[in-house]
Amino acid sequence: MTAIEIRDVSKSYGAVQVMSNVSMEIAQGEFIVFVGPSGCGKSTLLRMIAGLEEITGGEIAINNRIVNDDPASKRGVAMVFQSYALYPHMTVEENMTFSLKLAGTKKAERMERVNNAASMLQLSSYLKRRPKELSGGQRQRVAIGRAIVRDAGIFLFDEPLSNLDAALRVSTRVEIAKLKHRLADTTMIYVTHDQTEAMTLADRIVVLNKGSVEQIGTPEELYNHPSNKFIAGFIGSPAMNMLPCTFTVQEDGITAQTGDGANCDAVFKQIDSTGNLTSGTLGVRPEDLQVCNADEALISGKVDVVEYLGDISLVHLSIDDGSTVQVKMVGPKRLADGSEVHLKAPAARIYAFDADGKALKNLMNGTDNEH
Amino acid sequence: MNKQRKNSIVARLWTDRWIYIFLLPTVALIGTFTVYPVVASVWYSLLDWNGFGDPGAFIGLDNYRDLWNDPLFWNSFKNTLVFLVFAVPLRVGLALVLAVILNGVFPFVRLFRTGIFLPVVTTAAIVGVVMRYILDPTGGPINFAILETGIVDQPVNFLGSASLALYSAVGIWVWKWLGITVIYWMAALQTIPRDVYEAAELDGANAVQKFFRVTLPILTPFTLIITLITVIEATNVFDLMLTLTGGGPFYSTEVIDIFVYRHAFTSNIPRLGYASAAAIFFAAAVTLVAAVQIFLVTRIRKWRKL
């Protein structure tokens, strides 16, 4: 069942258009993450769904009812803000029951719902405290509790972990994932700029860039089959290495040569455009590169820096054309600065993009990525 | 040992001599124009002195005993209290309502903000003089307007009627100083993040509920401070009252400041000692009120953990 439908939504402030023709369908119970660089419009889109921001064009329907002109309180959504947005003068309990009080819910039911939410979020012993007496993580849990108590069908999270420190971010992220399992019917939309949050939490990810949707898909789809160069560079950490290349169109597919003449084993096919294809970009993820002999190398470069991260080492190479390449290697690596390293990647794990950044299909990659 | 300590104090003073040199002008000015008059007033209040010639005889607390038995003193004390009771809530409350409105975004909002602030920068004494003309029952524009529109059929003697004059003065004072309180409130309102209002909106609060259940409680610490400031200002309306009514008619607007001024400078037989006693007595009363208020502020803050 579709919980939220967004049709050709656009947003402009005066003459400045910040969002154009965004469309998507979100099923009930789905966990959707909006991700993108700052200024891409992800928070604006979330706020338009919440009813906190007006829609300039298009339609938003919640449970098959167009809500464009409905006030926020009538949309059946609860929201968790980055800044928590707790009422400073109310206790945890009062914060969580405020909406119920306004709705005229009986005290017994209010208390029952608060106690349920509090035990779910380990807040039971803090109910009489004020936000000021809580840590950042506890405050964010209260904000989530406020949403749970509302019993809203849709939860909106606006960068809820951004104000927490790194350790707390990880543990709260896990809490949110558990919460999603417990509230299986609740549709959740989560905005973040952190792709780790997006990858770990999402059923589907919506990648936004400059006010429009770049790709919608499961984390696996986005990682394995990015539809364009932007997605390829955005999803995955460290980012995919990009190498300029030239293409040769042959009968059985397209082959690619890197700038310094190395041949790529992979064979590609244009997905839907048939335009003239001469030059473009090859993409290889840092985790797919392996050290090899000079004669089979796709990339050769000199070691700049080795970052040792415990389980892996991140090797930064500079290649002849001046660009840099990152390689993930298992375990500690002792590579002298300036020493020459040759790298190759399995043919199935090489990506190619045309001059417009559009992905080509890798014919060596068994799975189908045409969608 | 003692000598050593002395030396060290002298040495420290000497080390920081520049600090003290720079402090000197301020200390001299405050000493001359604030500390000395206060101390002198306390002393004068114990004297039977007209303010001219040699200081008069020391009479202990006789001035205070006279005050206690002076119905006109208690009249002015009462007038000041009535002024406080009406003017402070009116100024603080009205300013909050205006601040909430002016905090919004609508056409000409800056113009309105400026308009409300304008009387603040005009001199109180001039406001007093001008208002006498504006409220004049025989040709003042206000009476002209309310007569023409038929609201009243007799001119209203705003400042000449003993039952009305004090309330007219309250109105003028509130109008004159409203702008500054609006500024305080607007600054206070800026401290409430937009998120909190948005959360309230999602929780289903309407504008009135947002104001009474979110804005007002969050503003409590500011309310206490702004009220305290306004109370203190409302006890200090000498310039406006002197030019507006001079305390009349029939002492009906004689607040403490005017009572003190009358006895010190304008009566046929000036009584500086007596006036000083009244001023000191009233200062003590105001200090007491302020102390109680500050005590309550701290208690409420602690209780609300803000």
Side-chain angles (χ1 to χ4, degrees):
Chain A
M1 198 182 114
T2 308
I4 302 171
E5 196 176 351
I6 298 169
R7 285 187 285 257
D8 287 330
V9 162
S10 56
K11 172 78 185 171
S12 43
Y13 295 102
V16 186
Q17 180 142 27
V18 295
M19 185 156 287
S20 53
N21 301 326
V22 171
S23 296
M24 70 189 74
E25 277 184 23
I26 298 169
Q28 194 196 338
E30 227 183 341
F31 198 121
I32 293 283
V33 174
F34 293 171
V35 70
S38 63
C40 70
K42 54 191 188 297
S43 280
T44 308
L45 184 58
L46 190 80
R47 293 167 57 80
M48 289 197 288
I49 296 170
L52 297 172
E53 203 84 55
E54 255 181 68
I55 303 161
T56 331
E59 282 174 349
I60 293 180
I62 295 179
N63 297 326
N64 298 318
R65 200 164 63 90
I66 292 169
V67 295
N68 283 25
D69 299 322
D70 286 5
S73 58
K74 298 271 180 276
R75 296 190 181 192
V77 299
M79 187 153 164
V80 177
F81 294 84
Q82 179 179 350
S83 64
Y84 324 130
L86 299 177
Y87 309 118
H89 57 293
M90 297 185 195
T91 61
V92 168
E93 184 185 305
E94 289 164 339
N95 261 286
M96 298 212 281
T97 54
F98 186 57
S99 63
L100 300 180
K101 268 188 201 161
L102 293 175
T105 312
K106 292 245 160 30
K107 190 172 183 197
E109 194 190 336
R110 289 203 308 253
M111 291 320 296
E112 193 193 322
R113 288 214 222 166
V114 165
N115 289 331
N116 280 344
S119 67
M120 211 187 280
L121 298 162
Q122 291 118 50
L123 285 169
S124 299
S125 49
Y126 304 107
L127 286 177
K128 298 293 173 203
R129 295 210 191 167
R130 281 170 210 282
K132 215 179 183 180
E133 301 163 280
L134 301 176
S135 70
Q138 289 167 335
R139 285 182 210 182
Q140 194 52 284
R141 294 214 299 273
V142 176
I144 294 169
R146 195 160 63 176
I148 294 174
V149 167
R150 282 273 306 278
D151 204 14
I154 297 165
F155 281 15
L156 307 175
F157 295 88
D158 190 3
E159 307 221 14
L161 307 184
S162 298
N163 284 6
L164 304 179
D165 65 52
L168 210 50
R169 205 148 47 211
V170 174
S171 61
T172 314
R173 195 174 76 208
V174 175
E175 288 301 318
I176 292 175
K178 284 187 195 161
L179 184 72
K180 180 68 199 90
H181 284 294
R182 247 173 290 176
L183 304 171
D185 287 339
T186 309
T187 310
M188 297 189 182
I189 306 181
Y190 187 105
V191 162
T192 181
H193 60 265
D194 181 322
Q195 54 144 319
T196 315
E197 283 172 31
M199 296 293 276
T200 53
L201 290 170
D203 291 329
R204 282 192 301 153
I205 298 176
V206 176
V207 183
L208 290 148
N209 186 31
K210 294 175 185 160
S212 51
V213 174
E214 293 280 348
Q215 189 173 357
I216 303 178
T218 63
E220 296 80 9
E221 279 168 356
L222 262 56
Y223 180 80
N224 289 319
H225 307 295
S227 67
N228 60 43
K229 203 172 140 185
F230 174 81
I231 303 281
F234 192 76
I235 300 288
S237 174
M240 185 186 279
N241 296 301
M242 300 290 180
L243 309 161
C245 72
T246 53
F247 292 115
T248 313
V249 182
Q250 292 165 345
E251 220 166 89
D252 51 351
I254 301 159
T255 56
Q257 298 77 41
T258 61
D260 51 359
N263 261 308
C264 164
D265 296 335
V267 183
F268 302 97
K269 191 184 106 183
Q270 276 176 297
I271 291 177
D272 46 26
S273 67
T274 49
N276 189 19
L277 196 64
T278 51
S279 64
T281 312
L282 279 183
V284 194
R285 295 205 181 273
E287 50 271 36
D288 292 331
L289 284 166
Q290 305 151 4
V291 177
C292 65
N293 295 323
D295 55 339
E296 40 179 10
L298 176 68
I299 305 168
S300 299
K302 290 192 169 64
V303 175
D304 262 345
V305 185
V306 179
E307 290 179 294
Y308 173 57
L309 302 172
D311 54 338
I312 57 149
S313 296
L314 201 54
V315 182
H316 297 251
L317 303 176
S318 59
I319 56 175
D320 282 346
D321 66 0
S323 57
T324 59
V325 164
Q326 295 182 50
V327 191
K328 255 189 204 174
M329 295 184 183
V330 178
K333 289 286 167 197
R334 304 237 176 272
L335 295 169
D337 286 356
S339 61
E340 181 101 7
V341 174
H342 305 287
L343 299 162
K344 64 172 187 181
R349 300 295 308 155
I350 297 174
Y351 299 85
F353 307 95
D354 66 17
D356 298 329
K358 221 165 158 2
L360 305 186
K361 181 176 161 57
N362 185 336
L363 295 174
M364 320 290 279
N365 186 334
T367 53
D368 186 19
N369 66 348
E370 289 184 58
H371 27 233
Chain B
M1 175 89 185
N2 201 6
K3 197 182 172 196
Q4 211 174 12
R5 194 192 302 154
K6 227 181 198 171
N7 276 349
S8 91
I9 287 172
V10 172
R12 268 158 56 201
L13 283 175
W14 183 247
T15 320
D16 293 335
R17 61 193 177 279
W18 288 108
I19 296 176
Y20 295 103
I21 288 171
F22 281 111
L23 275 176
L24 206 58
T26 314
V27 170
L29 287 171
I30 290 180
T32 312
F33 295 107
T34 305
V35 179
Y36 170 72
V38 171
V39 175
S41 284
V42 175
W43 172 240
Y44 295 157
S45 75
L46 306 173
L47 303 179
D48 177 17
W49 185 36
N50 62 13
F52 302 106
D54 295 333
F58 181 82
I59 52 166
L61 296 174
D62 279 4
N63 281 329
Y64 290 93
R65 194 181 310 123
D66 284 359
L67 269 183
W68 194 258
N69 296 318
D70 184 346
L72 278 179
F73 172 73
W74 290 113
N75 170 65
S76 64
F77 200 90
K78 186 205 79 191
N79 284 340
T80 296
L81 280 186
V82 170
F83 192 91
L84 278 178
V85 166
F86 282 91
V88 173
L90 196 61
R91 179 171 151 193
V92 173
L94 200 59
L96 175 58
V97 173
L98 283 171
V100 170
I101 295 169
L102 293 177
N103 214 21
V105 182
F106 56 88
F108 304 116
V109 64
R110 280 168 187 278
L111 196 70
F112 285 115
R113 284 183 199 163
T114 313
I116 285 166
F117 193 72
L118 219 51
V120 175
V121 293
T122 49
T123 311
I126 291 171
V127 168
V129 173
V130 171
M131 278 298 169
R132 278 210 322 247
Y133 288 103
I134 290 178
L135 296 174
D136 193 89
T138 59
I142 297 278
N143 267 301
F144 179 76
I146 58 176
L147 279 172
E148 282 295 305
T149 50
I151 296 170
V152 291
D153 47 15
Q154 290 286 314
V156 180
N157 199 350
F158 288 104
L159 298 172
S161 139
S163 59
L164 204 57
L166 187 61
Y167 303 100
S168 304
V170 166
I172 291 164
W173 183 80
V174 169
W175 167 80
K176 156 100 179 77
W177 292 110
L178 196 60
I180 194 80
T181 318
V182 171
I183 300 274
Y184 298 157
W185 279 127
M186 283 175 69
L189 286 170
Q190 305 285 323
T191 66
I192 306 179
R194 198 182 58 163
D195 284 359
V196 173
Y197 288 117
E198 290 178 344
E201 207 171 313
L202 282 159
D203 274 344
N206 60 31
V208 175
Q209 286 166 327
K210 269 192 250 176
F211 179 76
F212 283 104
R213 307 185 74 155
V214 178
T215 312
L216 212 52
I218 295 179
L219 289 181
T220 305
F222 297 98
T223 311
L224 299 167
I225 293 299
I226 291 172
T227 307
L228 178 66
I229 294 171
T230 313
V231 164
I232 290 169
E233 285 180 358
T235 59
N236 187 6
V237 293
F238 173 75
D239 42 5
L240 181 72
M241 213 56 111
L242 187 74
T243 49
L244 197 63
T245 61
F250 312 116
Y251 305 105
S252 66
T253 60
E254 187 172 82
V255 288
I256 295 282
D257 330 16
I258 305 283
F259 177 89
V260 170
Y261 173 75
R262 184 163 61 82
H263 281 281
F265 304 111
T266 60
S267 25
N268 295 331
I269 314 149
R271 294 175 71 190
L272 198 71
Y274 189 61
S276 295
I280 295 295
F281 183 88
F282 189 67
V286 172
T287 311
L288 191 71
V289 170
V292 168
Q293 237 180 322
I294 289 169
F295 173 75
L296 287 177
V297 169
T298 353
R299 287 302 292 267
I300 290 173
R301 276 195 174 166
K302 224 179 240 168
W303 168 64
R304 287 165 45 92
K305 292 165 184 150
L306 279 171

